[in-house]
Amino acid sequence: YFFGITYRVYLGASQENYVVSLIQLITLILNTILIVILIKLNFGILFVKLVSALIYSLRPLIQLFYVEKIKHIKITKNDTEILIPNKWDGLSQHIASTIHSNTDVMVLTMFCKNMALVSIYSVYYLVINGVKQIIKSFSNNVDSSFGDMIARDELENLKIKYGLYETGYFVIISIVYICTLVLIVPFVSAYTFGITDANYINYGFAYLLVLGEFVWAIRQPYNELIKAAGRFKETKVGSWIEAILNLVISIILVGKYGLVGIVIGTLIAMIYRTGEFVYYTNRHILNRSILISVKKILLILIETIICGILLYKVPLCSSYIEWFKYAIIIFIGVSTLVLVMNLIFYRAQILNIIKIVRKR
């Protein structure tokens, strides 16, 4: 994994992330096929995991081959006199982010006597993490494109392209997270049907958990822009405030409110950090009014409230087929509402995005 980081970073910086994605896709498919075959042939779990590890170890080797043999670029040890600016500030933010990301499970394990809550949290987070990986595919690695514009001092071009990306990205996350908000409890009911070790139906916890991740998703375009501009030092303090807020509030509330107390801490911390990102990028990088982003976020809030009112009565499901039927109907309805709302308020940008997608 660490061996391949250098080559993956290089491909990201040269805006060739599709190469990394293609390699990951091929190895994932190959790994899945081999695992199924080995399990059918009754091989032991240790041998199956060994084969899986060997398949994934091909990723950095293929990246190395592509960079050095096809791109003809040799990556060697760096000159010790060449310093990467703000590297320690970036490391500091990464440490704070790691603390923030693992606070929920850590606090539950250390301060909650009922271990069944950890099981409940894990089941819901299984869904959230899957959704999170989908959203990351739309937000990760766009910083190289924005960074190129910043380096060339193309501020007006950056404003236009970033505005389109911001609008299109918000349409996607609105559809995905509103559907998740409505469908997560019915899905968990189908996933845990027949299991009696704990009560997995917890609407308050589920809604707050999804809302916290929704806020995380909203801040991603601004986070990518900050990374593109290399503004780690300027935003370092905020990362630690977020981590401390989450940790302290979660510890205070977990004893009385359990899972709900945990996600309240996460949600408050997420809102603080997202607000900081929105303010900083608009004022200090894009040099535009913060109201441009605030209006788009308010539109997301309105869409979420409308869908929540209309769809709050989705029943619990006892099978995946039953859940899938509801999911299709809800996805179509939510997508229609979100697209119509955005066409009303951001018609020119939406039509422009559609033209770009059709050309691609």
Side-chain angles (χ1 to χ4, degrees), residues 87-154:
K87 64 178 179 180
W88 296 116
D89 297 306
L91 177 62
S92 175
Q93 287 208 32
H94 182 72
I95 294 171
S97 176
T98 301
I99 294 172
H100 169 68
S101 300
N102 294 281
T103 290
D104 292 359
V105 173
M106 182 181 69
V107 172
L108 276 174
T109 304
M110 294 180 65
F111 295 94
C112 188
K113 296 180 180 180
N114 186 0
M115 287 295 102
L117 296 182
V118 178
S119 176
I120 296 170
Y121 180 91
S122 299
V123 169
Y124 279 92
Y125 197 77
L126 179 70
V127 180
I128 292 298
N129 191 52
V131 173
K132 203 169 189 174
Q133 297 309 312
I134 296 173
I135 296 303
K136 281 183 176 180
S137 66
F138 293 100
S139 62
N140 280 0
N141 302 315
V142 297
D143 54 331
S144 57
S145 299
F146 295 141
D148 184 64
M149 296 179 202
I150 294 170
R152 297 174 185 272
D153 200 24
E154 299 175 354

Side-chain angles (χ1 to χ4, degrees), residues 7-20:
Y7 301 96
R8 191 166 69 249
V9 169
Y10 167 77
L11 290 169
S14 59
Q15 300 183 40
E16 293 186 271
N17 286 300
Y18 65 90
V19 175
V20 178

Side-chain angles (χ1 to χ4, degrees), residues 27-82:
T27 52
L28 179 62
I29 293 172
L30 179 60
N31 179 61
T32 304
I33 293 172
L34 287 176
I35 284 178
V36 171
I37 292 173
L38 292 173
I39 291 174
K40 290 289 185 180
L41 294 174
N42 295 319
F43 279 88
I45 183 65
L46 292 177
F47 185 78
V48 172
K49 295 300 292 182
L50 173 63
V51 172
S52 181
L54 292 174
I55 293 296
Y56 286 133
S57 68
L58 292 175
R59 288 178 175 178
L61 295 176
I62 298 172
Q63 290 169 8
L64 182 151
F65 176 81
Y66 178 82
V67 171
E68 295 194 353
K69 302 300 181 182
I70 297 179
K71 299 289 290 183
H72 303 293
I73 293 175
K74 186 75 173 178
I75 299 178
T76 59
K77 288 186 177 180
N78 210 356
D79 191 327
T80 55
E81 295 182 359
I82 299 176

Side-chain angles (χ1 to χ4, degrees), residues 193-306:
F193 185 74
I195 298 175
T196 57
D197 64 324
N199 181 16
Y200 288 91
I201 307 305
N202 191 327
Y203 285 96
F205 162 67
Y207 293 157
L208 288 173
L209 180 65
V210 176
L211 288 174
E213 295 301 322
F214 203 167
V215 175
W216 167 85
I218 288 172
R219 82 186 188 192
Q220 287 308 103
Y222 309 104
N223 186 23
E224 293 298 319
L225 192 57
I226 286 172
K227 288 196 294 183
R231 305 293 179 87
F232 299 111
K233 183 178 181 180
E234 294 82 353
T235 57
K236 176 178 65 177
V237 174
S239 66
W240 282 100
I241 293 176
E242 178 188 39
I244 293 169
L245 272 176
N246 188 8
L247 186 61
V248 172
I249 295 173
S250 296
I251 291 173
I252 292 173
L253 297 181
V254 68
K256 186 174 182 180
Y257 300 105
L259 289 172
V260 173
I262 287 287
V263 288
I264 287 175
T266 303
L267 179 59
I268 292 173
M270 290 282 199
I271 291 172
Y272 163 78
R273 184 66 164 157
T274 300
E276 181 197 14
F277 277 151
V278 172
Y279 174 82
Y280 187 87
T281 51
N282 281 284
R283 289 294 299 272
H284 299 288
I285 299 177
L286 294 171
N287 294 326
R288 68 180 191 180
S289 173
I290 191 175
L291 290 177
I292 294 173
S293 292
V294 170
K295 288 176 182 177
K296 293 180 180 181
I297 295 172
L298 284 175
L299 181 60
I300 292 175
L301 180 61
I302 293 169
E303 293 164 354
T304 304
I305 291 173
I306 293 173

